[in-house]
């Protein structure tokens, strides 16, 4: 059996450090996985303006130029977050 000797660290401290690093790596992977599989989220024009620091005329201009699409639910208009993000990247 092969052994590894560590100088200046107790076995408990080593184990705690190892567990901490593994947890961090797993949580990062899980967060990315959940974010990638997140359902489309819909926001109002006001929420989009606040989130991206843009104005309503900008949103309307993007709609008019078919850069983004609006979705109507009853009398309310919503926008998909992923479409807005893509439009902001492409038209930056």
């Amino acid at each position: 059996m092969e052994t590894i000797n560590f100088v200046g660290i107790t076995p408990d401290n080593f184990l705690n450090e190892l567990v901490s690093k593994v947890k961090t790596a797993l949580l990062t992977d899980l967060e990315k996985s959940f974010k990638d599989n997140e359902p489309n989220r819909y926001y109002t024009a006001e929420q989009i303006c606040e989130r991206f620091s843009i104005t309503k005329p900008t949103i309307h201009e993007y709609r008019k130029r078919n850069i983004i699409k609006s979705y109507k639910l009853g009398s309310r208009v919503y926008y998909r977050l992923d479409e807005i993000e893509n439009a902001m990247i492409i038209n930056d």
Side-chain angles (χ1 to χ4, degrees):
M1 176 189 247
E2 191 174 322
T3 62
I4 300 174
N5 295 319
F6 294 94
V7 178
I9 188 167
T10 66
D12 286 339
N13 286 346
F14 173 72
L15 185 58
N16 289 338
E17 186 66 25
L18 183 62
V19 167
S20 173
K21 297 292 183 187
V22 170
K23 279 183 182 177
T24 301
L26 286 173
L27 284 173
T28 301
D29 287 348
L30 283 172
E31 286 173 353
K32 183 182 180 319
S33 177
F34 282 126
K35 185 173 182 185
D36 291 346
N37 294 315
E38 186 176 282
N40 295 323
R41 293 197 171 194
Y42 295 86
Y43 288 89
T44 63
E46 291 82 13
Q47 290 171 314
I48 295 296
C49 289
E50 185 178 316
R51 182 173 179 128
F52 294 100
S53 299
I54 59 175
T55 64
K56 281 187 181 180
T58 301
I59 293 173
H60 296 300
E61 180 65 25
Y62 281 1
R63 272 179 58 189
K64 194 166 121 180
R65 293 174 37 201
N66 293 320
I67 294 171
I68 61 172
K69 192 170 146 186
S70 62
Y71 301 87
K72 207 162 184 183
L73 181 60
S75 62
R76 296 183 180 215
V77 176
Y78 294 93
Y79 302 89
R80 277 186 30 189
L81 181 60
D82 62 326
E83 291 177 354
I84 299 293
E85 289 173 335
N86 289 336
M88 298 296 284
I89 292 168
I90 292 168
N91 293 291
D92 196 16

